[in-house]
Amino acid sequence: MKIAFDAKRFFHNTSGLGNYSRDLVRILSQYYPDNQYMLFNKNTSERGKDILDRPDVLFVETSKGSLSRQLKMGKDAQKQGADIFHGLSGELPLKWDKTPIKKVVTIHDLIFMRYPQYYSFFDRKIHFWKFKKAADTADKIIAISEQTKRDIIHYLKVPGTKIEVIYQGCHKAFKEQQSEEFMQSVKEKCKLPERFILNVGTIEERKNLLNIVKGIHGTDIPLVVVGRKTKYYQKIERFLKRNNMVKQILFLEGVSMDELAAIYKMADIFVYPSFFEGFGIPVIEALFSKTVTVTSNTSCLPEAGGSDSVYIDPNNALDIGAKIKFLWENESERKRRVERSFEFVQKFNDQPIAEELMNFYQKII
């Protein structure tokens, strides 16, 4: 079987969609090396280079010209004899010839529909048009959670029979045990406290960092935040200064995947009170790292967190603070939840996800 991928995100996105694209191709290549996996894009990058070195993974340069991704990539895949074209980030090419090819698109979330206040009018219109067009063009849609499937049915008016839920996993670094020397070097490099709680993700309003900060106000619990800053950070900064909390919070950016995995493992508690997610990979990363997780009781997060994570109302800083404090002071409770959550998270391992993907491809062929 020849499977073609829109590899723009594979080569050029550092987080979210990039990680999804690279992990998907990596695990398919690892467990089903008899197929050919073709990565279509204008150019390559250092990202995913180790995956591209595999004998069954091939880079194919898209035809030259403006809008080549939209107008030429699909036809290029057909010329290469691809059986399936898979758009990995909510989009499919607009132009195709008559050569038979099955079309699949992964839709991660429709947050721009649920929370329009976080997006400009123009971005909302463009996103909706692209996602609706892809959903209508596709033979089958992959949703990354039951929550996303419900949203696709509701907002894009797609029948549920056209949508398959296939979860995503996380980077292999979170499943590996880093050496004591490496862990110590990360601790020193990042100036990490002896004990701390952790939050990971872009510092934006939807991720709700301010309510974590409010929740631990009046305690001496250190918080480490790993993520890119946006304008919303200024709101956090003002609160910290007003409440003499500046030294309680450590902000980190630009850490490597291996360093991030080490930070997860050193944290006592991972806190992720996002208002809405399509899936919530940081929750999976924490569970694989054997770090107890406090997350929201909304959207897909209970799907990712399982029955032994601790759930909060993301609008309620007192609830967030009380549950952090309870876990911070109860090591036995943390350990109990960690062990059971680690059993639960195995369903997001590479092999079961690769099997689901391959069964899905074979069914549509």
Side-chain angles (χ1 to χ4, degrees), residues 301-331:
L301 290 163
E303 286 181 66
S307 58
D308 290 284
S309 291
V310 175
Y311 293 97
I312 48 84
D313 172 359
N315 292 291
N316 187 337
L318 290 174
D319 185 29
I320 297 169
K323 282 166 182 166
I324 290 171
K325 194 164 182 289
F326 169 72
L327 288 171
W328 183 258
E329 293 169 353
N330 286 274
E331 186 179 6

Side-chain angles (χ1 to χ4, degrees), residues 13 35-36 70 79 93 96 104 158 171 195 206 291 340:
N13 278 48
N35 299 307
Q36 188 173 57
Q70 290 80 10
K79 280 178 197 157
W96 306 86
V104 173
V158 172
H171 194 279
R195 290 186 68 195
R206 177 171 57 85
T291 300
R340 286 168 59 168

Side-chain angles (χ1 to χ4, degrees), residues 53-70:
D53 288 340
R54 290 174 174 269
D56 54 336
V57 180
L58 175 71
F59 168 69
V60 183
E61 188 177 352
T62 310
S63 295
K64 297 278 192 289
S66 60
L67 296 176
S68 61
R69 183 169 173 243
Q70 290 80 10

Side-chain angles (χ1 to χ4, degrees), residues 287-288 290 305-306 308 336-349:
L287 301 188
F288 271 117
K290 293 195 168 183
D308 290 284
R336 184 184 72 79
R337 289 178 180 273
V338 156
E339 293 308 321
R340 286 168 59 168
S341 293
F342 189 68
E343 285 176 35
F344 162 79
V345 83
Q346 298 310 308
K347 74 182 208 177
F348 301 111
N349 241 320

Side-chain angles (χ1 to χ4, degrees), residues 1 15 17 35 40 62 72 95 113 121 127 131 135 147 162 167 170 184 207 210 212 228 238 284 324-325 356:
M1 192 163 27
S15 55
L17 297 175
N35 299 307
F40 284 79
T62 310
K72 298 178 181 178
K95 297 287 185 184
M113 299 292 294
F121 173 81
H127 286 336
F131 278 49
Q147 174 65 60
K162 193 175 179 178
Y167 290 119
C170 67
Q184 190 58 36
K207 304 284 189 184
L210 186 58
I212 305 179
R228 180 176 59 82
R238 284 195 297 272
I284 303 297
I324 290 171
K325 194 164 182 289
E356 281 190 65

Side-chain angles (χ1 to χ4, degrees), residues 8-245:
K8 179 184 175 183
R9 310 293 182 185
F10 180 101
F11 290 117
H12 299 296
N13 278 48
T14 53
S15 55
L17 297 175
N19 288 337
Y20 173 78
S21 303
R22 288 183 289 273
D23 280 340
L24 183 142
V25 176
R26 175 181 61 79
I27 65 175
L28 286 172
S29 169
Q30 182 178 342
Y31 292 101
Y32 299 95
D34 294 339
N35 299 307
Q36 188 173 57
Y37 305 102
M38 298 185 285
L39 304 176
F40 284 79
N41 197 45
K42 288 180 179 177
N43 50 32
T44 63
S45 74
E46 285 302 303
R47 293 186 192 97
K49 195 171 179 301
D50 55 330
I51 301 166
L52 203 49
D53 288 340
R54 290 174 174 269
D56 54 336
V57 180
L58 175 71
F59 168 69
V60 183
E61 188 177 352
T62 310
S63 295
K64 297 278 192 289
S66 60
L67 296 176
S68 61
R69 183 169 173 243
Q70 290 80 10
L71 304 180
K72 298 178 181 178
M73 189 183 282
K75 291 181 179 181
D76 288 343
Q78 289 171 305
K79 280 178 197 157
Q80 293 285 336
D83 300 295
I84 297 171
F85 185 96
H86 188 165
L88 296 167
S89 56
E91 298 177 60
L92 282 173
L94 303 175
K95 297 287 185 184
W96 306 86
D97 63 31
K98 290 190 169 70
T99 311
I101 189 168
K102 293 293 184 180
K103 305 172 189 80
V104 173
V105 66
T106 297
I107 294 180
H108 296 259
D109 62 66
L110 294 172
I111 292 171
F112 64 93
M113 299 292 294
R114 279 187 161 273
Y115 291 89
Q117 67 269 31
Y118 298 144
Y119 298 82
S120 72
F121 173 81
F122 182 71
D123 281 349
R124 289 200 311 272
K125 292 294 176 193
I126 290 287
H127 286 336
F128 179 79
W129 185 84
K130 283 197 294 194
F131 278 49
K132 176 66 176 156
K133 184 77 176 163
D136 291 343
T137 302
D139 292 288
K140 277 281 190 177
I141 299 164
I142 292 176
I144 61 163
S145 65
E146 293 291 346
Q147 174 65 60
T148 296
K149 178 177 178 176
R150 290 192 293 272
D151 283 355
I152 295 167
I153 294 167
H154 178 72
Y155 291 111
L156 300 184
K157 309 301 180 206
V158 172
T161 51
K162 193 175 179 178
I163 308 163
E164 186 96 12
V165 175
I166 300 179
Y167 290 119
Q168 59 191 111
C170 67
H171 194 279
K172 62 185 189 303
F174 301 96
K175 303 164 193 174
E176 295 166 347
Q177 187 53 59
Q178 287 83 5
S179 70
E180 279 301 318
E181 293 79 15
F182 181 74
M183 299 283 276
Q184 190 58 36
S185 71
V186 172
K187 187 176 181 180
E188 289 168 9
K189 177 185 172 183
C190 298
K191 298 183 171 61
L192 297 173
E194 276 305 309
R195 290 186 68 195
F196 60 92
I197 64 172
L198 176 67
N199 174 255
V200 175
T202 306
I203 301 169
E204 60 182 337
E205 196 165 347
R206 177 171 57 85
K207 304 284 189 184
N208 195 24
L209 175 59
L210 186 58
N211 272 349
I212 305 179
V213 173
K214 287 179 176 176
I216 60 169
H217 177 231
T219 75
D220 57 1
I221 299 171
L223 166 64
V224 174
V225 179
V226 182
R228 180 176 59 82
K229 294 170 181 170
T230 68
K231 275 186 181 175
Y232 172 71
Y233 169 75
Q234 293 163 11
K235 196 184 276 191
I236 312 286
E237 193 176 38
R238 284 195 297 272
F239 185 90
L240 295 178
K241 284 177 178 171
R242 273 201 313 270
N243 292 280
N244 298 316
M245 291 180 71

